[in-house]
Amino acid sequence: MSALNPEQPPTGPTIARTTAAQVPDKVSLDGLEARWDAAWSAQGTYAFDRTRTREQVFSIDTPPPTVSGSLHVGHVFSYTHTDVVARFWRMRGLEVFYPMGWDDNGLPTERRVQNYFGVRCDPSLPYVEGYTAPFEGAAGKSVRAADQQPISRRNFVELCMRLTAEDEQQFEALWRHLGLSVDWSHHYQTIGRDAQTVAQTAFVRNLARAEAYTAEAPGLWDVTFQTAVAQAELEARDYPGAFHKVAFHRPDGSPVYIETTRPELLPAVVALIAHPDDERYQHLFGTTVTSPLFGVEIPVLAHTMAEPEKGVGIAMCCTFGDLTDVQWWRELQLPTRSVLTRDGRLTRETPDWITSAAGTALFIQLAGKTTFSARTIVVDALREAGDLDGEPVATQRKANFYERGDKPLEIVTSRQWYIRNGGRDAELRDTLLARGGELKFHPDFMAVRYQNWVGGLNGDWLVSRQRFFGVPIPVWYPLDADGEPRYDVPIAPPESALPIDPSADVPAGYTPDQRGVPGGFMGDPDIMDTWATSSLTPQIAGGWLADPDLFARVFPMNLRPQGQDIIRTWLFSTVVRSHLEHGSLPWSDAAISGWILDPDHKKMSKSKGNVVTPMGLLEEHGSDALRYWAASARLGTDAAFEIGQMKIGRRLAIKVLNASKFVLAFGAPDERAALLDADLVTVPLDRAMLAGLADVVDRATSALEQYDHTRALELTETFFWAFCDDYLELVKDRAYAGGAVESDVSTGTASARAALGIALDSLLRLFAPVLPFATEEVWSWWREGSVHRAPWPTSGPLRAAARDADPSVVTAAGSALAALRKVKSRAKVSMRTEIAAVTLVVPTALGPGVEVALDDVRAAGRVTGTITIETAEAESVVARDTELVPAEPKPVELHI
RNA sequence: GGGCCUGUAGCUCAGUUGGUCAGAGCGCCGCGCUUACACCGCGGAGGUCGCCGGUUCGAGCCCGGCCGGGCCCACCA
């Protein structure tokens, strides 16, 4: 195949002794991040080569982090996963398209700006040139909401832009420090002009194809932010409430009891509803009752959604207390009697369906009250009227909240824009389910979340928001002779005019003075939901409109990395947009990262206040160390925040530096004359080591191809530690023998040196995606260019040098060495202590390996006398009858 | 109520199609300054693989049930 497996150039571990490597006397991780970030930047190491064709490109739809504060270690975690993937495929020879974006539009930024500058947006105000905010920074936080200075939308947006620009600089600095191999010339903002153009163009096309539509309907509404909220942004939370048993009255005065947690909605009641099969209420169906206090006559109806087990089995249907009410209202064609307004208070005017004197008098008390105080008033009145049976019974119920809000959502009728997503159309839903089925999730079980969500949609995608800092809905409405907007014939701008702001720009055929006057026009006042823009990140990043040539080279993209919590939002909405616009998936693969849990196993999030900011960690432990920690966790699995794991990563990175220093002390192999150097590897132990490494290369490569970076790292790391602890020790003497003059050394010495160089070359490449700084540092000691643009290692050249050797020879020799070490450790003597004589009891299977590497075992174990070998059935080598040579007394250093 | 994930040494986790699978690292204990590394090295102790059944010659690994942890959806009378 294939796009992802281009032919590798015939390079590999290559070696020819030349000059000495430029190895520092003292190696260190300190300062590598700043040095290499600058070098990569200057050399364009990660610059995307846009001359490549789609088949030669690996494109990544980067998650744009929300710019409303600071990044935390969870970001470091998941973004490292992506970077490992990017680096792997880059080394595999694909040109990696890896842009970075900032999600800076939307509510989080609005709130941050309000708190930072002590202002709030009032779209009715005019723009002020050269505006200066009353506060800045911490001072703005102390300003009460009521005292925030009202400013125009344009001034507000300017402040948003200013603050996000500052945040984004800090974000970029952090990502650079972490070593993300992003091409920083390709970055975008979701509030940026390009993003607005893309978002509005896509919307206008959705509109033209009737995929977007406007409708007035009851919907979930956040009374704090005073905006409509989409299904995907809901969060069910526990909320205290109370059941109130309330009496309605039949014409003869007899009571019919219902239970409700929302007694303040009694003035909005439109029916009582019970299950059609519920025998208790058969005699009531078709009759009417009157509501207590307000005396409104309402029907008793049957509907299968009523559950006999709940409460007393008969419910009061209000417009609107919950989504079931909406369904009853729609299906039973009930009247609309809304009493809740958009600010969460009861309407100020007494509704016309309340006609009784007592009802009117009571409603005047309720007018303008919040639901909470209205409830108290209604309950007191019910109690007084004798229509409250018993006292309210406290209960803990689930209520829907906007995920960023802190008051339960109400249901308010409003006009909104929707994009069809299968929520009301079985055929489209099945199509989108099938689209999701084409997507390769990593790990694969995450696909279930997509299927569950799409299968459970109960409405189309609500995209309009009554907010300020976002992409405007790009339409106007004609005003009729009465000045009323004609929502059925929205005026869309031509694509060439985009982006537009309908509150400032004027539609074709109108003049500015016709705004807001009968026969004129009005702009849609709303903005698009954040997801309506970020669902287009592949198009924004890939240059869909601005750079079609680029777009053709990167789209559909290869990879969407993201968190599991936004499969229902970001992932799904992106699939929807791509399906509607391009008839394809936006990417072939989705890599889903888990969460970071704090040491108490709680999800780490800003709202919980348990976040750890990354820069301090990066500076203390080093970027490679944090990357190691992140790369140690599998995709889709939550991971603990563990300092210990970072320390291990740091140790590994330092080990890479030191082991490399050792290997390169024997001369700097260069990339020429590969065959010649491979031929130098003649000693069985050396060949066995390379054979083992070849296996590691194959398995690690396969793991990375399957998005299993954890296994690749583990395989490489395990090999590397054995390489350091056993192989290096075994060949150390042989490698040192004969001095530095290359031509004079024995074949054994030449073999060790060649094998060490070959192994180091492959090991550095294997580690490069996870430890970009340490590996690049070493690479710079002996090679031209960047390790991150070097080809990914292949096993072929290693096997050629290994000549079919058996990797277990290294294991056998290592086991023999361990046995000798154990003797010394037990005797509490230095590892340098010489052994005059020893018998090694060797497992049958390891016998040949020990025999063939005996000289190296002898040297590494400091055995000066005879080694007797016996075979036995066992798992590892055991040393016995050992004669240790007593150490000579240490010379005492005299300090004068 | 439906669904997904998960429960292996004190801690964090590997254990790929059931047959040396009882592992690694950290931590802990002991030892050692060995011309790559004391930001190090060497050695050691530690677990009836959540529980109960079943399939099998054989099960952390497969099946059923139970218990515990996490998450998503539904449930707002």
Side-chain angles (χ1 to χ4, degrees), chain A residues 76 78 84 195 225 290 302 339 403 414 464 474 603 636 671 732 842:
Chain A
V76 167
S78 53
V84 169
F225 296 108
T290 55
V339 295
E403 57 193 1
S414 61
S464 50
K603 181 191 171 189
E671 297 192 72
K732 193 175 266 184
V842 180

Side-chain angles (χ1 to χ4, degrees), chain A residues 135-146:
Chain A
F135 299 99
E136 190 149 344
K141 212 159 203 161
S142 57
V143 180
R144 291 186 309 153

Side-chain angles (χ1 to χ4, degrees), chain A residues 106-145:
Chain A
L107 202 48
T109 299
E110 286 189 25
R111 288 212 293 197
R112 181 158 150 72
V113 164
Q114 287 175 341
N115 289 331
Y116 193 88
F117 294 110
V119 299
R120 66 186 163 83
C121 181
D122 182 344
S124 67
L125 294 175
Y127 177 68
V128 176
E129 199 76 43
Y131 172 77
T132 309
F135 299 99
E136 190 149 344
K141 212 159 203 161
S142 57
V143 180
R144 291 186 309 153

